[in-house]
Each structure stands twice: as structure tokens, then as C-alpha cells.
Amino acid sequence: MSAGEEALRSQYVIGDEIGRGRFGTVRRCFSAATGEPFAVKSTAKAPLRESDPLDLALAEQEPKVHLLASASPPASAHLVALHAAFEDADAVHLVLDLCPGGDLFSLVSARAPLPEPEAAGLMAQLADALAGCHRRGVAHRDVKPDNVFFDAAGVLKLGDFGSAEWFGDGRAMAGLVGTPYYVAPEVVAGREYNEKVDVWSAGVVLYMMLSGTVPFYGASAGEIFEAVLRGNLRFPPRAFANVSPEAKDLMRRMLCKDVSRRLSAEQVLRHPWIVTRGGSAAVG
């Protein structure tokens, strides 16, 4: 047993596996002192060393960036909080909020298109999470339904900061990071970019919630990237016949190729569609 895992097990009782990714696993765990339930995300370093040094660097900085975004007082109630981190030469172990309510991908897959009030309420919570991150100088860089979770009370929580970056000193970010369907055009183009890449990705999430489809697609990652670069946003009548003009206006402003004209996360929260349709969502 490595030193990091030994330290983890000295404070937490490790339970069953509840999720798995390319390089790690998520397991249920419990505080040895209080019995309080959490989740522990464990990322092995060896596969990252062999595949991509950038992935390894992101995994090693994830605890610092995640803590910056979620540390008390939290920047937003809609962020998965990091409670403890254990690291050694072999792995990184992060103890996180347990979110037993599933994720947004499962919800959208089962029920989309969602009614506008529900979609607006979810988007209000997601935009609040992003605004909180951005106030702390953190860009998430991998906003997608798979990384949006629900706690036991059904409150939305943005998690998985494995691709996040700190821009708080005014630095521009670079690098092709994210997931093809959701990544912003300036990222695909190889240009420097700012935190508004998260707003673009959230715009794709909103499009999915209201239609059950993605706005930019292709048969391969290359084709998807080409569609993203074109940025030709359409609202097919079959999927959007019952979607309001106000919702379409918000999506146009979020999925805007001109970054200077794209809304910030704070501006998304103030958009009339969010204010009127998502007003009952718990934000703060």
C-alpha cells in the first residue's frame, strides 16, 4: 500500500466503487471519526506518465485548483467540495462531497427535452457554479453533463476539476483541453483563451437539455471540431418548435464565436430567461 493510500485509510473507511474513468476510480468512503459519507476519487499516476505529461500535470494540480474554487466560504453552493487530499508518487486521492442523485447526463439521456422552467433552474445553478469559480480565478475547462452531479437533496453540483486551470493573475490559458462536443472554438483553433470557454460549454449543455441533441456534431472528433469551428448554430424546428425565443436568445449569446460578445457566467444569471423561468432554483 502506498503512503498516500495508507494515510487515506487511516482517516476514511473505503467502500464500494461508484464510478470509473480513464485513469481512476471513484469509491464511496466514510469518515473514520464521524461516519459521514463522502466519495474518494483516486487517480493513478503511472498511466498518465505513459500517455501525456499534460494529463499528469493536471492531475497533480487538481487538488490545489479544486480547493481554491470550493474552499470555505464556498464560492458557490453548486460546487462539489473538496474535503481532503492525499498524494504520493503513485496516485492522487481526493475526498469529495458524495452526490448520490446521479448526474445530468443520465437525466438528459432519460428525459430530454426538459421543460423550460426545469432547464432554466438547472442552468441557473450551473451558471452560479461557474460564476463562483471565475470569481476565484478558476476555469473548469470541461463543463459537460457527465461532470454535473446532484446531491441527496437534488441540488446541482459541478465537479471533476481534473482539467481546471487557474487564471487569477491575468494569464491567458492555452491547450486543447475538454471534450469534443462541448469545447469552445477558440480552444480548438489553438488560440489563447479565457474563462468564457466555460460559458460556451454550458451553452451546449443548455441546448442538450432543451432538445436532447448537441448543436455541433460529426462522426469523429475531427469532424466535431470542424463543426465547432464553423459555429453555425441552428435550431431545427422538429427539436425546437416549442422552445421560447428567450431561450434561443440566451443560447445564441452563450454559443457566440466572438468571445468579446459572449456572455460571462454572471451575465447568464441576469438573462431574462433565467430570471423569469429559473427563479425558483436555489442559487448562492
Side-chain angles (χ1 to χ4, degrees), residues 157-173:
K157 302 275 186 174
L158 175 63
D160 197 339
F161 283 72
S163 297
E165 181 64 278
W166 185 68
F167 63 89
D169 59 356
R171 77 179 75 178
M173 293 171 283

Side-chain angles (χ1 to χ4, degrees), residues 140-204:
H140 187 278
R141 299 203 300 177
D142 197 19
V143 176
K144 58 183 178 180
D146 319 53
N147 289 337
V148 176
F149 305 97
F150 297 100
D151 69 10
V155 176
L156 180 149
K157 302 275 186 174
L158 175 63
D160 197 339
F161 283 72
S163 297
E165 181 64 278
W166 185 68
F167 63 89
D169 59 356
R171 77 179 75 178
M173 293 171 283
L176 183 54
V177 177
T179 303
Y181 288 120
Y182 308 94
V183 71
E186 61 269 28
V187 177
V188 178
R191 302 195 302 268
E192 292 185 336
Y193 50 84
N194 64 22
E195 71 277 10
K196 285 188 179 181
V197 297
D198 289 341
V199 176
W200 175 282
S201 302
V204 176

Side-chain angles (χ1 to χ4, degrees), residues 22 63 78 82 91 108-109 123 131 137 151 168 172 176-177 190 216 232 239 247 268:
R22 265 199 315 156
H78 300 289
L82 173 64
V108 170
S109 298
M123 182 50 56
D151 69 10
L176 183 54
V177 177
F216 312 108
N232 187 11
V268 171

Side-chain angles (χ1 to χ4, degrees), residues 71-279:
S72 182
S76 167
H78 300 289
L79 295 172
V80 171
L82 173 64
H83 296 274
F86 304 89
E87 181 179 0
D88 56 30
D90 296 324
V92 179
H93 306 281
L94 306 180
V95 178
L96 307 160
D97 284 342
L98 180 66
C99 293
D103 60 38
L104 184 58
F105 183 81
S106 300
L107 175 66
V108 170
S109 298
R111 293 188 42 227
L114 303 181
E116 284 195 31
E118 183 178 3
L122 293 170
M123 182 50 56
Q125 295 175 75
L126 179 55
D128 187 79
L130 292 175
C133 289
H134 297 169
R135 285 194 298 271
R136 294 270 174 92
V138 173
H140 187 278
R141 299 203 300 177
D142 197 19
V143 176
K144 58 183 178 180
D146 319 53
N147 289 337
V148 176
F149 305 97
F150 297 100
D151 69 10
V155 176
L156 180 149
K157 302 275 186 174
L158 175 63
D160 197 339
F161 283 72
S163 297
E165 181 64 278
W166 185 68
F167 63 89
D169 59 356
R171 77 179 75 178
M173 293 171 283
L176 183 54
V177 177
T179 303
Y181 288 120
Y182 308 94
V183 71
E186 61 269 28
V187 177
V188 178
R191 302 195 302 268
E192 292 185 336
Y193 50 84
N194 64 22
E195 71 277 10
K196 285 188 179 181
V197 297
D198 289 341
V199 176
W200 175 282
S201 302
V204 176
V205 173
L206 177 56
Y207 190 104
M208 286 186 68
M209 288 195 290
L210 292 174
S211 69
T213 62
V214 291
F216 312 108
Y217 50 87
S220 65
E223 289 184 7
I224 296 167
F225 287 149
E226 289 175 7
V228 169
L229 285 171
R230 287 193 297 271
N232 187 11
L233 181 62
R234 294 175 176 169
F235 300 109
R238 179 177 296 180
F240 286 91
N242 298 316
V243 174
S244 69
E246 294 81 7
K248 293 175 184 175
D249 178 75
L250 176 56
M251 285 183 280
R252 289 190 187 96
R253 293 173 185 270
M254 297 175 75
L255 295 167
C256 177
K257 284 183 67 178
D258 183 344
V259 180
S260 67
R261 293 175 53 236
R262 188 183 307 160
L263 296 184
S264 67
E266 295 277 7
Q267 289 171 324
V268 171
L269 283 169
R270 297 195 296 270
H271 188 276
W273 184 75
I274 293 292
V275 172
T276 59
R277 301 295 182 100

